[in-house]
Structure formats: C-alpha cells, structure tokens
Amino acid sequence: MSRTGGLTLACAILCFLSLSHACPKECSCNSNSKVVDCRGRGLYDIPRKLHPDTQELYLQDNRIRGLGSMAFREIPFVRILDLSNNSVTSVSPTALLGLRSLQHLSLAYNSLRELDKRLLGPIHSLSHLDLSHNSLWGLPGAMGDSLRNLSHLGLAHNRLTRLDRSLLETLTHLDSLTLQGNPWRCDCQLIGLKLWLETYLFKGGVVDEVLCSQPEEMRDRDLQKVPYQLFHACMTTSYHYLFANIHHLESERRLRGGGGGGSVPECETKQKQRPVNLRHAIATVIITGVVCGIVCLMMLVAAVYGCAYAAIMAKYQRELKKNEELAAAQGADHATADEKEPLENAIA
C-alpha cells in the first residue's frame, strides 16, 4: 500500500506541475516547436500560465494596451515576440527584463510615442526590431548599446523629424533600415543623417527613401538626392555642417583602415568610386580649412603690424617733443642775448 500510495502522490505532483504550465485557453500551443499562438483572440493583457520553455510567442491582432514590469517573466527563453497591431501606448522600462535570448521583437502598428532608454538594456542578442507605424518622435541615443547586433531596424511611418547620428553609428551590423513615411525636417540638423546614409549605402546597406517634409522648398525631395550645395547656408549659421563633414571623413578613414590589423585577402574586390556628393563634402572641408588658415595668418600679420606702428609712433612723438623743448630753450637764449646788447652800448 505504501508503494502504491507513493506512486499515486508522484503522479499527482506531475499532473499538478503540468497543469500549472498548461497552454492558456485563449491560445494554441505546439509543444514540439515550443510555439504559442495567441493571434486575433481579443486579448487585453498578456496571457498567463505560459510554459517556461516557450520560444516563440505571437500576440498580434489583439487589444493589448500596455506592457507592465516583467510582463514576460514566465517565458525567459523566448526568442521571437510579436506584439504588432495592438493598441499599446505605454511600455514599462522593465517590461522585457529577463529576456536575455530575445532575437526578434515587433511592436509595429501600435500607438507608442516614446521608448525608455532602459527598455532594451539587458538584451544584447536582439537582431530584428520593428517599431514602424507608431507615433515615435525619436529614439534615445543611449539605447544604441542594446542595438549593436541589430540586422534590421524598422522606423517607417512614425513622427521622426531627425535621428541621432550617435545612435546610428553604433549599428555596425545593420543590413536593412526603413525610414519612409516620417516628416523629416531637412535642415542643418539632418546633415549628419545624410552623411551617415551615404556611408551606410556605400558599405552595402539597404534603406528606403527619406522624403523631406520641411522646409517647404524641399518638400517631397529625397534626402539622398539633395545636393550638398543646398546645405552650404548652414556654414554661416551653425557648425553642424562642418562638424558632420569632419566626423564623416574620420569614419571613412577608419573604414578604409580596416579598424585593426586584420589580414588582407589576396584578391580584393575593387573599391567603388566615391559618390560625387562625398567628393564635394571633402572639397568643402579642405577649402574651409584653407580659408580659416588664411584668416588666422592675416590676423597675426595685422597684430604684428599694429604693434610695430604703435612703437614707431610713440618714438616719433618722443623725438618731436624733445625737439620742441630744445627749440624753446634756444629761443630763450637768443632773447636774453638781444636784451644785453643795447644795455652794453648805452654804458659805453
């Protein structure tokens, strides 16, 4: 009886454990592929009692409005998480805490206005991030450390007017980028993005069009096709243009240098010819440097000339005053002599 009772207890415990992680009734689960499909079920929240071994969770086409802290703590090994086409307006900075294996995240077709820089902090395996069709005004530059391994970034159809270049510089493994459908403001602040896109395309990256919305004279023009001459006015109003060119050239130099002492293959592919716009940018930086050097030299010459002129004039004034004093003394002597001569004649 004791052996039978122990067996019964063990079975009961196993049944309880299996039931505690059973497939949520709103979803369909595949235990072999470890996929949980909850698409289009009218869900308002993340389903509970998910199996901890779940690797793919599909939650698109629901009515989820927010993601709270550690919303996916039950599935720490999930690799694909799709929350597209919901009504998500807020995401807690710790919503994805614990998902160290996450590779694919989609928050497309929601109502996000901003993302906290800490959201993707603990995740370094992310390779695909889709944030398109939201209301994002921008991405925090500090988020770049979590996006280093991204191969795809979707930012199309948001409210972006500019994009931090320091963030883009960290995306060294990026293969494709979507930026269309944003109200880009093509002014001096966007010259950095233009230069980065040129380098990115030169290295073989894929990006859709970036159409300007502002200012009015650039509306519907593709940023990649806007000539650099139209940005020359920036040089008289700010330093963004010059600094962006210098940063761009430094990036190009590191790119050509290989960033280290790696071995050079015997048969290198022929390097593409630099685009005309890049040559214009280089020429502009060189000309600006020459002009600045000439101006500095002229200022130095003017300073030396001014000092020399002041010294000469001071010496001249001293000599003039000395001569005047000497002439006055001589005049006084002559006057005294003239007065003595008639007196001596009278005595005689």
Side-chain angles (χ1 to χ4, degrees):
M1 289 294 293
S2 60
R3 185 175 300 177
T4 304
L7 183 60
T8 303
L9 179 60
C11 291
I13 292 174
L14 289 174
C15 290
F16 175 77
L17 290 175
S18 61
L19 287 174
S20 64
H21 294 296
C23 183
K25 62 181 181 180
E26 306 93 346
C27 310
S28 61
C29 305
N30 188 321
S31 58
N32 294 325
S33 59
K34 300 178 182 178
V35 175
V36 178
D37 189 350
C38 307
R39 291 177 291 183
R41 306 299 174 92
L43 299 176
Y44 287 92
D45 202 356
I46 308 299
R48 298 302 178 189
K49 297 183 179 179
L50 292 167
H51 198 282
D53 290 338
T54 300
Q55 294 192 3
E56 300 179 19
L57 177 59
Y58 298 98
L59 291 166
Q60 56 265 48
D61 305 322
N62 282 291
R63 302 175 184 176
I64 300 172
R65 295 187 177 182
L67 300 177
S69 178
M70 298 186 68
F72 304 96
R73 57 182 175 273
E74 294 182 348
I75 49 173
F77 303 109
V78 66
R79 294 183 297 103
I80 298 177
L81 181 58
D82 195 332
L83 286 154
S84 59
N85 199 23
N86 276 276
S87 304
V88 179
T89 58
S90 63
V91 179
S92 169
T94 56
L96 305 177
L97 192 63
L99 305 185
R100 298 184 179 275
S101 302
L102 189 62
Q103 299 175 6
H104 182 120
L105 174 63
S106 177
L107 288 166
Y109 291 94
N110 280 286
S111 303
L112 294 171
R113 292 180 177 271
E114 60 180 356
L115 292 177
D116 192 279
K117 63 181 181 181
R118 297 168 292 174
L119 178 63
L120 302 175
I123 305 173
H124 299 286
S125 56
L126 197 64
S127 61
H128 183 106
L129 177 61
D130 191 355
L131 299 171
S132 58
H133 293 273
N134 277 281
S135 301
L136 294 172
W137 292 93
L139 290 179
M143 188 177 282
D145 291 337
S146 304
L147 306 178
R148 292 185 181 276
N149 294 317
L150 274 189
S151 59
H152 172 79
L153 176 60
L155 294 172
H157 298 283
N158 278 281
R159 297 183 181 179
L160 302 174
T161 57
R162 57 179 54 94
L163 199 56
D164 191 349
R165 184 175 178 180
S166 63
L167 171 67
L168 297 172
E169 293 287 355
T170 62
L171 307 180
T172 55
H173 295 89
L174 195 65
D175 295 327
S176 60
L177 175 65
T178 60
L179 296 173
Q180 67 178 352
N182 284 286
W184 299 106
R185 182 177 180 82
C186 297
D187 57 9
C188 299
Q189 299 276 347
L190 210 63
I191 187 67
L193 175 61
K194 178 175 173 62
L195 291 168
W196 181 86
L197 285 174
E198 193 167 83
T199 303
Y200 176 67
L201 293 171
F202 180 74
K203 293 190 294 184
V206 177
V207 65
D208 53 8
E209 59 185 4
V210 179
L211 295 182
C212 303
S213 293
Q214 301 177 48
E216 188 63 30
E217 58 269 19
M218 288 194 183
R219 180 180 291 274
D220 296 329
R221 297 190 65 175
D222 191 342
L223 178 63
Q224 301 173 50
K225 298 178 182 178
V226 174
Y228 279 92
Q229 287 79 357
L230 295 182
F231 289 97
H232 284 180
C234 301
M235 298 178 66
T236 60
T237 57
S238 69
Y239 293 101
H240 285 103
Y241 183 84
L242 181 60
F243 288 159
N245 275 297
I246 293 174
H247 192 185
H248 176 69
L249 293 174
E250 181 63 20
S251 298
E252 284 294 302
R253 185 188 65 78
R254 290 198 302 267
L255 177 62
R256 291 195 301 271
S263 60
V264 179
E266 294 182 0
C267 299
E268 278 191 347
T269 56
K270 186 177 180 180
Q271 190 177 25
K272 297 180 182 178
Q273 185 179 3
R274 290 182 178 180
V276 176
N277 287 340
L278 179 57
R279 295 199 295 272
H280 287 172
I282 296 174
T284 301
V285 174
I286 294 174
I287 292 172
T288 304
V290 172
V291 171
C292 291
I294 293 174
V295 171
C296 292
L297 183 60
M298 291 176 66
M299 291 176 65
L300 180 61
V301 171
V304 173
Y305 175 79
C307 293
Y309 179 78
I312 293 172
M313 288 301 297
K315 183 178 180 181
Y316 172 76
Q317 291 294 335
R318 287 196 300 270
E319 291 181 352
L320 181 62
K321 186 175 181 180
K322 183 178 180 181
N323 291 335
E324 290 176 351
E325 292 175 351
L326 183 60
Q330 291 177 353
D333 293 340
H334 287 304
T336 304
D338 292 339
E339 291 176 355
K340 289 180 178 180
E341 184 175 352
L343 181 59
E344 292 175 352
N345 291 335
I347 294 174

